[in-house]
Amino acid sequence: MARLLVGGGAQFLRTPARQLASYVTTYSGLCGKPVSLENNRLSSHFKKNFAAYSTRSTCSAIEPFQSITRKSSTKHGQEGLLDATPEDFKAILTKTGARRAYFAFDEKRGVPFASDVSLNEICEHFKADAINYRGHECVFLEIGKRSNALMGAFVWRTNRGQACGGIRMWNYSNMKDFLTDGLRLSTGMGHKSALAGLWSGGGKGLIHAPPNNKDPDVRRDVFHDYGDFLTSINGCYIGAEDVGLTVSDLDHVHDRTRFVTCISPELGGSGNPSDATGRGVVRAMEAALAFRNMGDLKGKKVVVQGAGHVATIIIDELLDREAGEIVASECDEDRFQQIVEKYKNNTQVRVVKTARDDLSILHEPCDILSPCALGGILNKQTIEKIQAPIVCGAANNQLATPEDNLLLDQRGITYVVDFAANRMGIVNCANETYGYVTDDQYVKQHLGRDWDNSVYQIVMHILEKSRDKGITSVQAAEELAEKFSRENHPIWGHRSIEIIRSLIETKWQNRG
């Protein structure tokens, strides 16, 4: 006999007995043995209503409240939903008879709720995670029909407009990492769009990378699935390019939906946003140098961690500005060889091959350290060894925790907040539907120095506010971004919330 310890008694008492029976039957199937449902507040309710619908479980009331589904993936060697691998989570979800799930925000009660009670452990995690979960309007999950890939769409603060942000394909160790990445990145996108003056909310798409994801046929299936996923959520989130995707991948997404940007110019899109992003990061570097009275980029040594598409644009821009030595690191062997070949005739650029978990490049003495790989690399261990007066890069969520900015501040290091420096990618694609102009002045003003809302001026404003108020640059940037992000779209404010409500009312999770 396996014991299923449940919590949230009041919520369960309002749940139809048939649904509860289905839940316990699902759990019984996962455990491979009969189940005893235990909660001392629910005894009479279940004894009267539950047994009629479940022939594979028995009811008793022995132990008090415990976290729901704590042992729900025991069969797969995990402790709970958050510890489950994405592959195990898919198995758990399909056992409920669904390929979809959502976690929406109850504005009146101020708490998240799930599409199925068997997922409440994740809601409890969100409630406890005050750093990363900020009342996200909805988190949508779906298992692709063609690819069987786990896909997510994260929607945050859409009063400024539809959620917008890149789609990332990555290999996640567990569901906690998957969900945390989506929460943090969607919030960052909301702040980024607000600082850029875009009428967009925060959005992020995630795909847990399936096996053989380099195979063209596999990729086509994955991104066709993601396009169907985007279409199904009715435009509350607009996708774009991010880590693990190319323009051709976005074209495959576009085969199945209109709710995506960064598609190829041949299809009317803006293409790869890396060029604009890289140029924006270099403008942010110039602002940081000016703030510290260090002159311009000429002769400066810059270390670039990660040599992806954006990083190579940054390197090229630095060379155009006569920077001194440029050191770039890369962990992917194929990409490393490409970068070595690209700069083989340029003695200013030194390319270093590193292991995936090797962060020693962050400790290289330089004028500017530019993290351009994945997030979370600035932490207590790495910050104490940084030998650069300025940190300014393209990577999202560079700080492992918000407190890590204080460590940078205490060491006298000027940190340019990522969502202020790398905003030009979303600027490049956010307004695709408004068409294109040669030598577009709208885009150029973001990269100039005169406009109050340009990358240069915003970074200067954040750093000056940080200095004058005695707060970290993250605090200064978030104060500004929070203020802007709460401004309502003049026409379509809260439209995405209305879409989410309609999806819930029409039982989106059952239509997959």
Side-chain angles (χ1 to χ4, degrees), residues 52-112:
Y53 296 109
S54 179
T55 59
R56 297 175 62 186
S57 62
T58 60
C59 254
S60 63
I62 300 175
E63 296 186 10
F65 174 88
Q66 296 290 335
S67 294
I68 188 168
T69 66
R70 184 61 61 189
K71 301 179 181 179
S72 61
S73 50
T74 303
K75 183 176 180 181
H76 303 280
Q78 301 293 337
E79 291 298 320
L81 296 179
L82 294 165
D83 296 320
T85 67
E87 294 303 315
D88 286 347
F89 179 81
K90 290 189 298 183
I92 294 168
L93 184 59
T94 54
K95 284 284 187 179
T96 69
R99 299 183 68 87
R100 291 175 172 176
Y102 67 74
F103 305 89
F105 186 68
D106 186 327
E107 294 179 78
K108 292 183 179 179
R109 296 172 57 222
V111 295

Side-chain angles (χ1 to χ4, degrees), residues 156-429:
W156 181 75
R157 200 170 288 175
T158 57
N159 50 289
R160 280 190 70 93
Q162 293 163 293
C164 293
I167 303 165
R168 171 173 294 189
M169 186 164 70
W170 193 250
N171 191 1
Y172 292 93
S173 299
N174 54 55
M175 286 304 296
K176 182 178 179 181
D177 289 350
F178 181 94
L179 294 166
T180 299
D181 207 28
L183 294 175
R184 295 184 69 185
L185 290 168
S186 55
T187 301
M189 288 305 306
H191 282 156
K192 186 184 303 184
S193 293
L195 283 181
L198 301 175
W199 290 112
S200 304
K204 199 67 191 178
L206 295 185
I207 302 170
H208 174 63
N212 303 319
N213 63 79
K214 300 295 186 182
D215 183 285
D217 292 334
V218 172
R219 295 184 77 87
R220 183 185 62 248
D221 286 347
V222 168
F223 296 113
H224 278 173
D225 279 342
Y226 203 88
D228 288 339
F229 177 45
L230 286 179
T231 294
S232 77
I233 57 176
N234 290 353
C236 64
Y237 162 61
I238 308 296
E241 186 180 352
D242 194 23
V243 174
L245 273 71
T246 65
V247 172
S248 63
D249 295 328
L250 272 299
D251 287 347
H252 285 315
V253 176
H254 185 249
D255 288 341
R256 304 295 304 173
T257 190
R258 61 172 294 181
F259 300 120
V260 66
T261 60
C262 299
I263 58 177
S264 63
E266 293 80 7
L267 296 176
S270 57
N272 193 318
S274 298
D275 183 77
T277 304
R279 292 165 65 199
V281 172
V282 173
R283 296 297 186 277
M285 291 179 179
E286 292 174 328
L289 288 169
F291 173 76
R292 292 187 64 106
N293 296 313
M294 290 176 61
D296 56 25
L297 284 162
K298 186 175 182 179
K300 299 296 188 295
K301 179 179 178 180
V302 181
V303 170
V304 182
Q305 185 227 5
H309 297 300
V310 174
T312 55
I313 298 299
I314 291 173
I315 293 171
D316 291 343
E317 289 281 316
L318 292 172
L319 292 173
D320 287 345
R321 286 162 176 73
E322 300 181 359
E325 183 183 5
I326 301 170
V327 182
S329 70
E330 179 55 49
C331 62
D332 182 83
E333 178 63 30
D334 291 341
R335 184 63 181 170
F336 171 74
Q337 294 298 337
Q338 291 173 11
I339 301 304
V340 169
E341 179 65 23
K342 177 178 173 65
Y343 296 109
K344 66 181 180 181
N345 296 322
N346 195 313
T347 57
Q348 287 177 260
V349 180
R350 175 162 58 95
V351 187
V352 179
K353 177 69 169 63
T354 60
R356 185 175 292 273
D357 58 352
D358 180 4
L359 299 178
S360 59
I361 191 69
L362 301 177
H363 311 145
E364 176 86 10
C366 59
D367 296 299
I368 301 173
L369 173 62
S370 186
C372 292
L374 295 178
I377 48 87
L378 298 178
N379 54 49
K380 184 177 180 180
Q381 289 69 40
T382 58
I383 289 171
E384 65 182 14
K385 297 180 181 179
I386 289 175
Q387 301 182 68
I390 295 171
V391 175
C392 177
N396 288 310
N397 297 325
Q398 296 163 25
L399 298 172
T401 70
E403 292 75 22
D404 291 322
N405 188 205
L406 185 59
L407 298 178
L408 288 166
D409 198 52
Q410 290 170 347
R411 291 207 55 217
I413 297 171
T414 297
Y415 175 60
V416 180
V417 180
D418 48 75
F419 58 81
N422 66 10
R423 79 188 206 192
M424 287 306 298
I426 195 67
V427 170
N428 187 67
C429 65

